[in-house]
Amino acid sequence: MYEDKVRIIHGSAGSPDSLALRVITDKEKIIQFSVSTSEAWLRPRYKYSFRGALQSLSTAPYFYKWLKENSTVKTIAIINPNDEAGKASTKQLRDMANLVGFTVYDEYYERGTTDFYSTLTKVLSKNPDAIDTGVMLEVPPILKQINELGFKGYKIGAWYGPTGPQGVVDAIGKAPVEGYL
């Protein structure tokens, strides 16, 4: 970065690394674009931090309103990582879902988790009508394991990982992603 005299960084997609990098980019007056979900990302005192794309949380209020008007969903479980990005995303999603009248349950997991069965068993014990998988990279194994546990409700989220939808289908099969909104 210093050697190449970088003045603009487009990325990263995640809050933890974007927030960490901002320590350098602000000091060096380097513009950084990110799709960070953290509320801390857009605080006015950071003059060089910008959201580089419309994030899925921007569309969530409209989606939740549509879901309320077009389904029988009353309860939503939100699953996200137990870190800054996951907690920020969950808070925003919960607030938006509560605005249109949904009851919301939160559940967190540690980043890097690949076995979600215990987390999903806790979630399913609350009998949610829908599970919002958030926007994190762990969405494909979560979808696969939700399917294996027999969940028949709505699977919702805005996963935009590096492989795109076809990469998810190739990795975990078509059945787990059927009906994913």
Side-chain angles (χ1 to χ4, degrees), residues 30-50:
I30 297 170
I31 295 170
Q32 184 186 179
F33 292 97
S34 174
V35 290
S36 172
T37 56
S38 171
E39 291 178 18
W41 181 248
L42 293 178
R43 292 201 177 125
R45 72 176 190 232
Y46 299 107
K47 296 177 182 174
Y48 301 95
S49 300
F50 298 91

Side-chain angles (χ1 to χ4, degrees), residues 71-145:
S71 75
T72 59
V73 172
K74 292 185 178 27
T75 58
I76 298 174
I78 300 171
I79 305 172
N80 263 319
N82 189 19
D83 62 16
E84 165 73 22
K87 289 178 180 178
S89 175
T90 296
K91 180 188 179 313
Q92 292 170 27
L93 290 170
R94 182 188 331 106
D95 291 350
M96 292 175 216
N98 286 152
L99 275 175
V100 294
F102 290 121
T103 299
V104 179
Y105 307 109
D106 306 339
E107 195 61 50
Y108 296 97
Y109 57 86
E110 297 306 316
R111 281 230 190 244
T113 297
T114 56
D115 182 345
F116 293 93
Y117 292 105
S118 62
T119 301
L120 293 171
T121 299
K122 282 189 230 173
V123 167
L124 294 176
S125 73
K126 296 175 181 159
N127 201 27
D129 300 313
I131 296 176
D132 190 324
T133 60
V135 297
M136 307 305 166
L137 293 176
E138 295 86 0
V139 169
I142 290 171
L143 286 175
K144 183 175 187 213
Q145 292 169 36

Side-chain angles (χ1 to χ4, degrees), residues 50-77:
F50 298 91
R51 185 161 287 140
L54 179 66
Q55 67 179 123
S56 58
L57 293 174
S58 301
T59 60
Y62 307 103
F63 175 75
Y64 282 148
K65 183 177 185 285
W66 175 87
L67 189 64
K68 184 72 170 179
E69 293 170 355
N70 294 282
S71 75
T72 59
V73 172
K74 292 185 178 27
T75 58
I76 298 174

